[in-house]
Amino acid sequence: NIINARLRGKPGLFRVALNGERIAAIVPQTDVVAPAKGNDLDAGQNLVVAPFVEPHIHLDATLTAGEPKWNMSGTLFEGIERWSERKEITTHDDIKTRAKKTIGMLVDHGIQHVRTHVDVTDPKLTALKAMVEVRDEVRELIDLQIVAFPQEGIESYANGRALMTEAVAIGADVVGGIPHFENTRDQGVSSVKFLMDLAERTGCLVDVHCDETDDPQSRFLEVLAEEARVRGMGARVTASHTVAMGSYDNAY
Ligand SMILES: [Zn+2]
């Protein structure tokens, strides 16, 4: 039982009776009660809610602002450049330490489900291998989904396709992408087709950084949506950061 709990929108205190992993009953209390030995979790008259979800975070890059240099323009593209420099001095332990520190902060705020994008444009896949270990080590605290995220592109980065495929083989749960960052429009389109093939073949989910630019000509969301429709994969596909939509003209 969880006792002395407050519930959203309801006056008074409640006892939440648990049956294994499920809520069996929610019973109003007339007063504050003392916990029975061993059985009860005392909420201390605090609010009890379902756990929160953090659907988009980059735990491999967390807590690195200013290293090795600050992003002086404040733009996404300089941010990616700074991260690329930081990535060169990143180690397995460095990633695990920072990721776990941030996970601690998430847990303190009531978050129990996390999807993290992990940069796989790295010939050694250092971050991915570290995060696969972290996923296991924090299993009791949170559900962690790992996205194989090609920060510097699939087609425009050396061996980008092979790194994505290897990342899934090592244990990524979700296939990512960044079509607007590829060198050409054609590469953007082919990167989406490649990542959808990979996800379809392996049963992975999909979460693409899609049109994260103010450019009104950045139109990869239509490509991703159509690939999802044709393959019947809609429920498995997420488009993140679709900010170019704010720049599209009304006719489009
Ligand atoms: Zn992101």
Side-chain angles (χ1 to χ4, degrees):
N1 292 328
I2 301 170
I3 57 166
N4 303 321
R6 284 192 193 285
L7 300 178
R8 196 148 45 181
K10 294 188 165 140
L13 295 174
F14 295 84
R15 174 170 68 86
V16 181
L18 303 175
N19 179 9
E21 290 182 345
R22 289 176 180 275
I23 294 172
I26 297 176
V27 186
Q29 293 175 201
T30 48
D31 212 342
V32 179
V33 297
K37 270 205 177 110
N39 281 329
D40 293 335
L41 181 65
D42 190 349
Q45 306 184 54
N46 290 306
L47 181 68
V48 172
V49 292
F52 297 126
V53 175
E54 167 53 272
H56 192 119
I57 194 168
H58 294 248
L59 287 173
D60 53 335
T62 189
L63 305 173
T64 60
E67 302 170 10
K69 279 182 279 191
W70 287 96
N71 174 351
M72 296 308 287
S73 66
T75 59
L76 172 66
F77 286 80
E78 188 184 341
I80 293 173
E81 212 179 312
R82 292 288 85 82
W83 166 243
S84 180
E85 294 161 358
R86 178 62 176 79
K87 200 159 62 173
E88 285 173 17
I89 55 168
T90 286
T91 66
H92 186 83
D93 289 346
D94 159 49
I95 287 173
K96 286 183 73 172
T97 306
R98 286 185 288 100
K100 283 184 168 177
K101 192 170 173 193
T102 302
I103 287 168
M105 291 190 253
L106 297 174
V107 170
D108 285 347
H109 286 83
I111 293 162
Q112 285 179 8
H113 306 282
V114 177
R115 175 175 285 184
T116 185
H117 292 257
V118 181
D119 188 355
V120 298
T121 46
D122 161 15
K124 294 186 190 140
L125 294 175
T126 304
L128 184 88
K129 289 170 185 165
M131 287 307 303
V132 165
E133 288 183 18
V134 169
R135 182 178 58 193
D136 272 344
E137 290 164 21
V138 301
R139 203 172 278 284
E140 300 297 314
L141 283 175
I142 56 161
D143 295 326
L144 188 60
Q145 278 183 342
I146 295 175
V147 186
F149 170 53
Q151 176 75 75
E152 297 185 52
I154 295 174
E155 311 289 45
S156 0
Y157 189 80
N159 301 316
R161 289 188 175 212
L163 288 167
M164 289 291 290
T165 307
E166 196 186 338
V168 169
I170 289 173
D173 308 286
V174 187
V175 173
I178 189 165
H180 56 280
F181 194 81
E182 303 285 356
N183 288 337
T184 67
R185 156 101 200 158
D186 283 350
Q187 286 181 342
V189 173
S190 67
S191 76
V192 171
K193 290 189 172 158
F194 165 79
L195 70 90
M196 289 295 282
D197 279 341
L198 179 59
E200 191 174 28
R201 196 166 69 239
T202 56
C204 282
L205 300 167
V206 174
D207 193 335
V208 176
H209 284 64
C210 203
D211 305 320
E212 190 179 7
T213 160
D214 295 331
D215 177 7
Q217 300 304 320
S218 185
R219 293 181 174 186
F220 296 104
L221 180 59
E222 65 183 18
V223 179
L224 182 65
E226 185 61 1
E227 287 292 320
R229 184 189 69 83
V230 168
R231 297 166 194 256
M233 287 170 61
R236 284 161 54 190
V237 177
T238 301
S240 295
H241 294 307
T242 56
V243 299
M245 268 204 265
S247 305
Y248 295 159
D249 63 75
N250 287 340
Y252 180 60

